[in-house]
Amino acid sequence: MPELPEVETIARTLAPAVAGRSLTGITVLNPGTWQSGIHPSLVCPVPRPFASTGRRGKLLLIFFADQGDVFGLAFHLKMTGRIFPRSADVQPGKHTRLIMELDDGSRIFFDDARKFGYARALSHDEIAAWPFWNSLGPEPLEISREAFADRLHGAGPVKGRLLDQKNIAGIGNIYADESLFRAGIAPYARFVGKERLGILHDELVKVLNQAIRECGSSIRDYRTANGDAGTFQNSFAVYGRGGEPCPKCGRPLTKARVASRTTVFCEHCQR
DNA sequence: TCCTCCCTGTTC
DNA sequence: GAACAGGGAGGA
C-alpha cells in the first residue's frame, strides 16, 4: 500500500541505483502492466542516461537526462507493486511484471503480485492523453493550509474527500485514518469547517513528514528500493487497530466502512 | 457522489 | 474455501 511517504522513500532509495546509469531496454513480462501508447522498444532506441527520480502523488517517476520525445517513466505501485534494483545475476521472480535493463548489466525489476500496478512512458502527448495525471490535485506538503481547507471543504464525508486524488494527491487509507485521528475529526463528518480542516492539514503534514523520516509504513508488501522495511507502522494510532484501546482515551477503537474503505477511528475522540 | 470490479496472496 | 486487503476506472 505505497502512499505518498512510501513512494517518496522509494524514489529517494532508487536514486543511487540509477545515478550515472543509462536505460538500455524495457522488457514487459505482463502485457497489462505497460499502459502506454508508446511501444516499450521506442522508449530507448539508444541508451538513455537517467537524470533523477521523483514522485507525483503516489506515482513514482524516473526522468532521463537527454531531451527526447519520451522524457521519463511513471509507475503506479497500487497495493503490491515493488521496485527492486538487482545485479545481472539475479533472475526475475514469479511476480516480476516489467524489467528495466541498465547499461552495466544490472536491472530494475517491477514486481506486482496483484497486477494492479502499471508503468507508462512520459511524453507531452502521453500526459495530454492521461486524465488521471491531469486531474491530480496539489501535493499536500506544498499546498497552503488555507488552500487545503478550500479544496477539502464540501458535502461528502471528509475521509472520502481526503482520499480523492483530485482534491489532494498522495493520500491513501493509512494516512487518511491517521491524520483524521490526530486532528480529532470523525471520518464520516460532513461540512467540516475551514478551521478544523486547517487543523487536519497541520496533522496531515506532521504525519506525512514523520512517515517519510521513518521510510514509510511496511504492513506486508512495501519495501524501499533497498529492500528495507519502513518503521512508521509502529507509530500507527488507529490504522489496523480496530477493537484496540484508543491511544488518547482508552475506549475501544471502532472499525467501520467509510467511503468504501475499512476505517478505524475513535467515536469519543473524533467528532 | 457512491458502488462494483479488477487481482491474488494471506488470514480466518 | 470464503473473506479480506485497496487505488482508481467506470458506471449508476
Side-chain angles (χ1 to χ4, degrees):
Chain A
M1 17 214 104
E3 303 178 25
L4 188 157
E6 289 76 28
V7 180
E8 181 66 32
T9 301
I10 292 168
R12 292 180 184 183
T13 52
L14 182 63
V18 304
R21 297 265 67 88
S22 297
L23 181 70
T24 59
I26 295 174
T27 304
V28 178
L29 303 179
N30 177 60
T33 298
W34 184 253
Q35 295 190 8
S36 198
I38 295 174
H39 193 273
S41 66
L42 297 178
V43 171
C44 49
V46 297
R48 305 283 306 274
F50 288 113
S52 60
T53 61
R55 178 192 62 75
R56 175 76 174 101
K58 300 173 195 173
L59 289 167
L60 173 70
L61 308 177
I62 305 176
F63 296 106
F64 300 126
D66 56 336
Q67 299 298 311
D69 181 32
V70 175
F71 55 82
L73 299 169
F75 293 84
H76 201 311
L77 308 180
K78 293 290 181 85
M79 276 76 65
T80 54
R82 294 188 184 197
I83 296 284
F84 286 132
R86 287 292 182 264
S87 55
D89 57 321
V90 177
Q91 295 306 305
K94 76 169 180 175
H95 295 133
T96 304
R97 308 304 182 192
L98 181 148
I99 301 172
M100 283 175 276
E101 320 275 355
L102 274 55
D103 58 336
D104 63 350
S106 72
R107 301 186 286 194
I108 299 172
F109 295 133
F110 176 46
D111 282 31
D112 184 20
R114 251 171 278 188
K115 298 184 182 174
F116 279 15
Y118 59 82
R120 293 184 65 129
L122 289 176
S123 72
H124 294 297
D125 288 347
E126 284 288 286
I127 287 175
W130 190 3
F132 175 66
W133 177 284
N134 292 305
S135 67
L136 276 175
E139 292 288 327
L141 297 178
E142 295 172 5
I143 193 174
S144 74
R145 197 175 192 269
E146 292 71 25
F148 176 92
D150 283 343
R151 297 189 72 88
L152 267 286
H153 190 66
V158 63
K159 178 170 177 179
R161 308 183 68 77
L162 199 47
L163 290 174
D164 188 338
Q165 304 296 297
K166 296 184 199 62
N167 294 331
I168 297 291
I171 308 305
N173 210 24
I174 294 173
Y175 299 100
D177 276 10
E178 291 297 315
S179 59
L180 285 166
F181 174 78
R182 285 163 170 78
I185 298 172
Y188 51 77
R190 296 166 183 266
F191 297 109
V192 179
K194 296 276 180 72
E195 181 50 38
R196 301 186 72 212
L197 289 172
I199 293 169
L200 178 59
H201 182 250
D202 297 341
E203 295 301 325
L204 180 63
V205 167
K206 277 194 263 182
V207 78
L208 291 175
N209 280 327
Q210 186 188 346
I212 290 170
R213 282 198 299 276
E214 298 196 22
C215 296
S217 306
S218 290
I219 312 227
R220 185 180 302 144
D221 297 286
Y222 161 72
R223 292 293 182 275
T224 74
N226 295 327
D228 300 324
T231 60
F232 189 70
Q233 68 278 5
N234 300 321
S235 300
F236 286 166
V238 291
Y239 180 84
R241 303 188 59 182
E244 295 181 33
C246 168
K248 286 183 190 167
C249 74
R251 295 176 177 83
L253 293 168
T254 301
K255 181 177 172 181
R257 200 113 178 126
V258 179
S260 306
R261 293 284 170 255
T262 301
T263 301
V264 181
F265 63 101
C266 176
E267 296 185 49
H268 180 255
C269 299
Q270 293 175 255
R271 302 281 168 162

